[in-house]
Amino acid sequence: MVVSVEQARQKAEARRQRILAKSAERLDMASNGMASKEVEHSVPLSPVRRRRNQNKKKKTVEKLRLTLHATKLKNVAGLGKGISDPYANVTLVTSGRELKLGQTEVVKNSIHPTWTSSFLFDYNKGEKMSIEVSVVDEVKKGSDIPMGSAAFEIGDFLGSQGSIKGKELKEGGMLHARISKVPSRSAGKLSLRLEGKDLRNVEISKSDPLFELCRTYDGGKSWTPVYRSEYVMNDLNPDWKAASIDVNALCDGDLKREIKLAIFDYERKGENKPLGAFYTTVNDLMQSENSKL
C-alpha cells in the first residue's frame, strides 16, 4: 500500500480524538453506576491431573525473539577514519551445541547502534541455553575489527524487569539484549510504501530523509525501531521503496496498538537528525485514503 505521511498523520490525530471521546464516555458510565466487574472462577484439579499438567508445562517450548542495541561503544575506526560502523553476530548455545542465528544489519557512523534485526528461536523451559553476541566494526577496505562480545543466559531474562539485560564490554561500552515472547499465531506482513511531502530541510542543499517504524515495550515510555528505511538523497518529497514488516514484531499482532513513525535526515558523520514523528496504528495505516493493498 502507498501511504502519504501527511494523511497518516491526520488519521492518527482522528484516532486520538476517538479515544478521548470513548474515555469520556466510560467515565460517565462509571459515575452512573453502570461499570461492572468480571469475575473469573476456576475448578480445583485433582492431584493426578495437576501432576500431568505440571509435566506438560515442563516440556513447553516457547518461541522467543531477541533484539539488540549498544551504547558508548569504543570507536575503533582509527584516527581520521570517522566513526565505526557496527554490526553484531548472534549465536545460540545449548547443550554444548552452537547454532548461528545470524547477523544484524550494519549501522553506519554510530557508537550507540540500535539494530532493527531480530532473531527468533525456540526455548525449552528448564533447559540451559545462552546467547553469544560479538560486535564488529565493518571495514570496507581491510579486515573487520572486533568491538567486544558478551554472553547472556536465557533463564536470566524470564521474569526480569522489561526482559532486558545489559553487559559491559571489555573493549568499552554496553551491549543490551531484550528477549520477548512471540505470539503463538502469525499476524502476517505489513506491506507499506511511504511518501513524504514538503519535509523540513536541515541541510545546506536538501535533507536526505529516511523513516523508522517503532514499537514500545513499556506503554510508550521508550520506542524501539523495528524497521529502518534507506535514505533518499537530496529530496524533500521522498518516495521510499516498498517495505515488508512482520506485524508480530511491530505490535504483537494487535492492529490497534500504538506505533511510532519517525523521520530523520541521514548524516554521513554522526547521529541522524530528527525531522518529525507521529503516532499511529497498523489499522490506521491500512485505512489511509491512498492505501493500496
Side-chain angles (χ1 to χ4, degrees), residues 246-281:
D246 185 329
V247 177
N248 275 342
L250 185 59
C251 57
D252 292 332
D254 182 355
L255 305 188
K256 296 180 180 180
R257 180 181 295 182
E258 194 166 63
I259 58 176
K260 181 180 178 180
L261 197 155
I263 302 175
F264 297 88
D265 172 43
Y266 174 73
E267 291 293 314
R268 286 154 192 77
K269 296 181 180 180
E271 300 294 320
N272 295 332
K273 296 178 182 177
L275 294 179
F278 62 93
Y279 303 92
T280 184
T281 67

Side-chain angles (χ1 to χ4, degrees), residues 49-202:
R49 291 186 63 187
R50 191 179 297 114
R51 281 195 297 272
R52 287 176 181 170
N53 285 348
Q54 287 172 348
N55 290 334
K56 287 180 180 179
K57 288 179 180 179
K58 288 179 182 178
K59 298 178 182 178
T60 298
V61 176
E62 290 184 324
K63 181 75 73 176
L64 301 179
R65 183 188 306 275
L66 168 73
T67 54
L68 299 163
H69 74 276
T71 53
K72 298 182 179 180
L73 295 176
K74 181 180 179 181
N75 183 17
V76 298
L79 187 63
K81 295 183 179 180
I83 302 174
S84 294
D85 305 323
Y87 65 89
N89 292 312
V90 182
T91 302
L92 179 68
V93 180
T94 175
S95 302
R97 299 190 304 272
E98 294 187 357
L99 173 65
K100 186 170 181 179
L101 295 182
Q103 179 179 304
T104 68
E105 78 278 12
V106 176
V107 176
K108 293 288 187 180
N109 304 314
S110 179
I111 56 172
H112 310 287
T114 297
W115 294 285
T116 61
S117 302
S118 63
F119 304 90
L120 300 179
F121 61 94
D122 292 329
Y123 173 63
N124 193 345
K125 286 185 178 179
E127 183 178 3
K128 189 173 182 180
M129 189 178 290
S130 63
I131 294 286
E132 293 183 353
V133 183
S134 61
V135 182
V136 186
D137 176 27
E138 183 186 57
V139 180
K140 288 296 185 182
K141 296 181 180 179
S143 301
D144 292 350
I145 304 172
M147 300 180 73
S149 61
F152 300 88
E153 294 290 336
I154 303 301
D156 293 343
F157 288 85
L158 305 181
S160 66
Q161 185 70 28
S163 295
I164 187 168
K165 294 287 183 181
K167 291 284 184 75
E168 286 190 25
L169 302 181
K170 190 180 299 184
E171 292 79 356
M174 287 279 292
L175 178 64
H176 305 269
R178 182 190 297 276
I179 288 182
S180 54
K181 294 181 181 180
V182 177
S184 56
R185 292 185 179 182
S186 170
K189 301 279 188 179
L190 171 66
S191 296
L192 176 71
R193 208 180 93 217
L194 198 64
E195 298 174 349
K197 186 176 181 182
D198 298 330
L199 298 182
R200 187 160 58 97
N201 186 24
V202 293

Side-chain angles (χ1 to χ4, degrees), residues 198-268:
D198 298 330
L199 298 182
R200 187 160 58 97
N201 186 24
V202 293
E203 297 285 355
I204 295 175
S205 53
K206 289 182 180 179
S207 296
D208 308 320
L210 62 88
F211 74 89
E212 291 181 352
L213 281 175
C214 309
R215 67 162 294 162
T216 182
Y217 292 94
D218 53 16
K221 294 178 183 177
S222 62
W223 294 89
T224 301
V226 173
Y227 176 83
R228 183 180 295 115
S229 76
E230 296 180 353
Y231 66 90
V232 180
M233 191 80 170
N234 295 323
D235 197 340
L236 302 182
N237 300 284
D239 183 357
W240 289 284
K241 292 181 180 178
S244 180
I245 302 108
D246 185 329
V247 177
N248 275 342
L250 185 59
C251 57
D252 292 332
D254 182 355
L255 305 188
K256 296 180 180 180
R257 180 181 295 182
E258 194 166 63
I259 58 176
K260 181 180 178 180
L261 197 155
I263 302 175
F264 297 88
D265 172 43
Y266 174 73
E267 291 293 314
R268 286 154 192 77

